[in-house]
Amino acid sequence: MNRAIIIILDSLGIGASADAAKYGDQNSDTFGHIVEACEAGLANNNMRSGPLKIPNLLRFGLGAAAVGSRKQSLPLDTHEAVQGAYGHAVELSSGKDTPSGHWEISGLPVLFEWGTFPKQENCFPAKLMQDLLAQGNIKGTLANKHCSGTQVLVEYGEEHLRTGQPICYTSDDSVFQIAAHEETFGLERLYALCDIAKKLVDPLNVTRVIARPFKGLTAATFERTENRKDLTTPPMGATLLDHIQDKNGTVVSVGKIGDIFAHKGVSYTVKAADNMGLVDQMLDQMDKVKEGLIFVNLVDFDSKYGHRRNVAGYAHALEEFDARIPELEAKLGQQDLVLLSADHGCDPTWPGSHHTREHVPVVFYGHYCGEAVKACNLGERASFADMGQTVACHLNLEPLNYGTACELTR
């Protein structure tokens, strides 16, 4: 079996989808707006300044993919020729959530609506919260509303420390989140409470319950830790990951991939505290695993910068990742195919703090079925599943149920 490395730049959308207005995301463009903000000097901090500097990602084809998606130019330094195959993909799934995006990339679009909670105070059903209190042996909860993960700590973190009551909140996505102090409440207690919550929200068709541990003593010092845990509804059918394991191949989850797939089709998981730690883990696994799939999610783009509407931080994170690409290239062999993509958008210039409905980049680099990937425009792909189908062909697997393989060696 050949080897594939899929790297999800979590939330790096490249332009609003045709149906973005349905989600309130018309004209959103995560990557494009970051590039424009950098060019205008609006994304400077003590870590970076000036135009966005991502020569390796541009060489792979990310810039060309973005221009094709938005159908207009971007102020990018493109003096080096594109070496990869590039295009953009339209999401066939109904939402703009993390599991749907990843599953569709893996050949399993979600063609139904997940359950969500209304945008109002006390947004969770009374019966759900009563059962959570009783089964979780807790006296009360805080928040019970739509809120960003950082703002909810500012508003309720100190009260949580005083009362011991966990903070329950949601977003536009199909998710129930519980934040609690990692030390005073306890990490294992938080995980156990989330296990209870997942069983309670399953009848509501809610995709995920997320444990959000944090540390610190005041609103000014609260910080989420790396011990986040996602409890996800298992995929409702076979994915690329299952097909690989059916052929006795190895599937390595780097970061939260295992949680996203409810560990279905995953051989084992390695984690790290941040993007650069995850890149370290990916490179280490490339030394160890020579066949199958290494599946990486670089979550900081979304959780630390997209949701927090931090344009400069997002830009710096892209530049940090770009600087590590030569290390990836040095470990590639003639049986290795790299895919760079995203699962949705999270435009840091867009109002609110939620995901945005966008096209995602489709960027292939390396070798496909033993031949070098040619620099070519793959155009608009009708589904994220085209990416999974392409990887399935490269790994010599049976075709997936969805998707049309891209032509990478013409």
Side-chain angles (χ1 to χ4, degrees):
M1 184 181 288
N2 293 327
R3 184 171 67 170
I5 299 97
I6 299 177
I7 305 173
I8 302 300
L9 311 182
D10 198 317
S11 85
L12 191 69
I14 55 172
S17 299
D19 62 355
K22 172 185 173 183
Y23 301 84
D25 298 330
Q26 62 278 12
N27 300 320
S28 59
D29 185 353
T30 301
F31 179 70
H33 289 159
I34 291 169
V35 171
E36 291 172 343
C38 290
E39 182 68 18
L42 302 176
N44 299 338
N45 60 18
N46 61 349
M47 303 295 292
R48 68 154 323 274
S49 63
L52 189 66
K53 304 172 187 69
I54 51 168
N56 296 304
L57 286 168
L58 297 182
R59 180 167 50 84
F60 273 29
L62 177 61
V67 169
S69 172
R70 73 193 325 246
K71 297 180 176 61
Q72 53 184 301
S73 63
L74 279 169
L76 291 166
D77 181 1
T78 56
H79 68 279
E80 286 196 45
V82 172
Q83 297 175 1
Y86 60 89
H88 64 276
V90 178
E91 186 163 15
L92 187 59
S93 298
S94 300
K96 51 179 179 175
D97 57 279
T98 295
S100 295
H102 283 77
W103 296 0
E104 185 170 335
I105 288 170
S106 302
L108 187 68
V110 178
L111 304 178
F112 57 84
E113 298 280 351
W114 290 113
T116 57
F117 298 104
K119 284 188 175 180
Q120 61 185 45
E121 295 293 322
N122 298 316
C123 64
F124 301 125
K127 179 67 163 58
L128 166 62
M129 302 310 289
Q130 290 165 5
D131 289 344
L132 185 65
L133 295 180
Q135 296 180 33
N137 193 27
I138 52 178
K139 295 181 179 179
T141 64
L142 303 173
N144 196 341
K145 65 178 184 179
H146 284 243
C147 197
S148 77
T150 50
Q151 184 60 33
V152 81
L153 297 185
V154 172
E155 292 185 28
Y156 298 100
E158 293 182 2
E159 187 176 355
H160 164 74
L161 288 179
R162 290 194 302 270
T163 65
Q165 296 179 2
I167 305 166
C168 300
Y169 64 106
T170 188
S171 71
D172 284 354
D173 289 343
S174 178
V175 65
F176 185 95
Q177 304 187 75
I178 305 179
H181 199 278
E182 190 165 284
E183 296 171 355
T184 63
F185 190 86
L187 188 60
E188 295 306 318
R189 186 183 176 200
L190 173 59
Y191 290 164
L193 186 62
C194 288
D195 284 334
I196 293 168
K198 185 64 176 78
K199 294 180 178 68
L200 294 175
V201 302
D202 277 346
L204 304 176
N205 200 30
V206 171
T207 324
R208 285 187 295 169
V209 170
I210 305 179
R212 294 285 196 177
F214 67 96
K215 60 184 179 181
L217 297 176
T218 67
T221 60
F222 290 141
E223 182 180 7
R224 296 194 294 195
T225 76
E226 67 272 16
N227 292 317
R228 160 185 173 158
K229 184 177 182 181
D230 294 46
L231 304 176
T232 307
T233 300
M236 61 286 185
T239 69
L240 171 69
L241 285 62
D242 298 302
H243 284 259
I244 294 170
Q245 289 209 320
D246 287 345
K247 293 291 186 180
N248 298 315
T250 300
V251 177
V252 181
S253 157
V254 180
K256 67 177 185 176
I257 293 295
D259 287 348
I260 292 168
F261 286 86
H263 300 278
K264 187 172 179 283
V266 174
S267 303
Y268 63 89
T269 294
V270 293
K271 292 192 174 185
D274 54 27
N275 273 3
M276 292 302 96
L278 291 167
V279 171
D280 290 339
Q281 289 281 24
M282 175 190 71
L283 296 172
D284 182 59
Q285 291 303 311
M286 289 180 69
D287 289 334
K288 298 174 179 178
V289 178
K290 299 301 183 180
E291 296 181 345
L293 174 64
I294 299 173
F295 203 163
V296 186
N297 177 285
L298 299 180
V299 67
D300 287 357
F301 294 120
D302 185 50
S303 63
K304 288 187 178 180
Y305 308 115
H307 284 299
R308 300 185 191 188
R309 298 308 191 237
N310 183 344
V311 181
Y314 208 133
H316 177 248
L318 285 169
E319 291 171 339
E320 272 194 318
F321 174 64
D322 186 86
R324 304 294 301 275
I325 286 178
E327 296 175 66
L328 165 68
E329 290 182 275
K331 294 180 182 293
L332 294 178
Q334 293 188 352
Q335 304 302 318
D336 291 336
L337 177 67
V338 176
L339 166 63
L340 296 176
S341 189
D343 49 346
H344 48 68
C346 198
D347 188 341
T349 73
W350 201 248
S353 61
H354 304 302
H355 295 158
T356 43
R357 177 79 169 184
E358 297 184 45
H359 299 150
V360 300
V362 178
V363 176
F364 286 103
Y365 183 84
H367 286 77
Y368 176 65
C369 300
E371 297 185 47
V373 171
K374 302 299 183 184
C376 59
N377 186 353
L378 302 172
E380 180 172 289
R381 313 304 301 191
S383 169
F384 293 6
D386 287 8
M387 292 181 271
Q389 195 73 270
T390 307
V391 173
C393 288
H394 173 67
L395 298 179
N396 196 29
L397 304 174
E398 294 296 319
L400 307 180
N401 290 332
Y402 288 88
T404 301
C406 303
E407 296 182 16
L408 304 183
T409 58
R410 61 172 182 246

